[in-house]
């Protein structure tokens, strides 16, 4: 009995020595970027931009929050963003660039990744710029584009809404629709952009 008690005491001493040989584990330190999550605008309305090498860019970043500023930064060769969120410059080299942009509010910032796709110059030209119609009959047409870089959709912006005939609309995808309300010939100025390569055209709508 005494022998078993001595063995038990010896075992406890050995265990205590073993635990004492190693200090208690400390918490693992985390590395902070100094940018609190959710401190400013949580995202951007658009975070991927297609632009064309050699053609000047002037685009505005649109945050989902109000009253924010941006940390100026270079995004791609020849292209940068300023404190107001203006994306500007002339891209110098084709490729895909992913760069963080700081969106700041109240002294703190949050990073958001922008993707800039710089495409080589590919010429394009408009087609289907005349659309005949009749009063009270729905229009269903579209402004066409030939050429341009593959896989990039053109955008269409009416630069004088007053020139669009009553009942008719021209969408950002170039769709010409609506129901004409009156006879006449209308010439509507439209700006077409393909990967930042833009040109102005005149769309003619003839309603008989």
């Amino acid at each position: 009995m005494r022998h078993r008690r001595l063995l038990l005491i010896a075992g406890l001493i050995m265990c205590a020595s073993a635990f004492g040989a190693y200090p208690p584990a400390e918490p693992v330190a985390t590395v902070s970027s100094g940018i609190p999550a959710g401190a400013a605008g949580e995202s951007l309305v658009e975070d991927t931009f297609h632009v064309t090498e050699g053609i000047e860019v002037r685009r505005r970043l649109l945050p989902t929050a109000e009253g924010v500023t941006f940390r100026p930064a270079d995004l791609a060769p020849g292209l940068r963003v300023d404190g107001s969120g203006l994306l500007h410059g002339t891209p110098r080299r084709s490729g895909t660039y992913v760069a963080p942009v700081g969106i700041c509010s109240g002294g703190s910032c949050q990073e958001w990744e922008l993707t800039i796709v710089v495409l080589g110059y590919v010429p394009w030209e408009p087609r289907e710029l005349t659309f005949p119609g009749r009063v009270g009959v729905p229009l269903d047409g579209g402004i066409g584009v030939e050429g341009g870089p593959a896989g990039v959709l053109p955008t269409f912006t009416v630069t004088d809404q007053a020139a669009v005939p009553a009942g008719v609309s021209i969408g950002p995808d170039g769709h010409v629709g609506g129901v004409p309300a009156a006879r006449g010939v209308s010439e509507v100025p439209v700006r077409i952009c393909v990967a930042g390569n833009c040109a102005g055209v005149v769309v003619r709508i003839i309603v008989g």
Side-chain angles (χ1 to χ4, degrees):
M1 183 71 178
R2 183 178 179 183
H3 180 68
R4 291 180 58 189
R5 187 176 299 170
L6 289 174
L7 288 176
L8 178 60
I9 293 172
L12 292 173
I13 292 173
M14 291 179 62
C15 290
S17 299
F19 282 118
Y22 300 97
E26 296 181 358
V28 177
T30 58
V31 179
S32 172
S33 64
I35 302 172
E42 294 184 356
S43 65
L44 296 171
V45 174
E46 183 181 5
D47 58 14
T48 299
F49 296 87
H50 290 81
V51 298
T52 298
E53 182 180 359
I55 294 182
E56 184 181 6
V57 175
R58 290 187 69 84
R59 298 280 298 276
R60 184 76 59 180
L61 302 185
L62 299 176
T64 57
E66 296 182 358
V68 303
T69 59
F70 295 82
R71 279 204 307 250
D74 294 320
L75 303 178
L79 198 62
R80 64 182 282 107
V81 63
D82 67 14
S84 70
L86 180 65
L87 181 65
H88 64 97
T90 302
R92 297 196 301 264
R93 188 167 65 246
S94 60
T96 299
Y97 304 88
V98 179
V101 170
I103 308 174
C104 306
S105 177
S108 61
C109 299
Q110 178 187 12
E111 285 189 346
W112 192 262
E113 279 193 348
L114 280 187
T115 300
I116 309 294
V117 181
V118 182
L119 301 164
Y121 177 79
V122 180
W124 63 268
E125 61 181 17
R127 57 179 174 81
E128 298 172 12
L129 297 178
T130 300
F131 300 90
R134 295 174 57 188
V135 174
V137 178
L139 275 175
D140 186 15
I143 305 169
V145 169
E146 290 183 349
V152 178
L153 296 177
T155 59
F156 305 81
T157 305
V158 175
T159 57
D160 182 6
Q161 288 290 341
V164 182
V168 176
S169 64
I170 299 177
D173 58 354
H175 180 256
V176 180
V179 180
R183 293 181 175 85
V185 177
S186 301
E187 294 187 339
V188 184
V190 175
R191 183 173 174 82
I192 305 175
C193 293
V194 184
N197 184 7
C198 303
V201 300
V202 174
V203 174
R204 176 171 290 188
I205 301 173
I206 305 171
V207 181

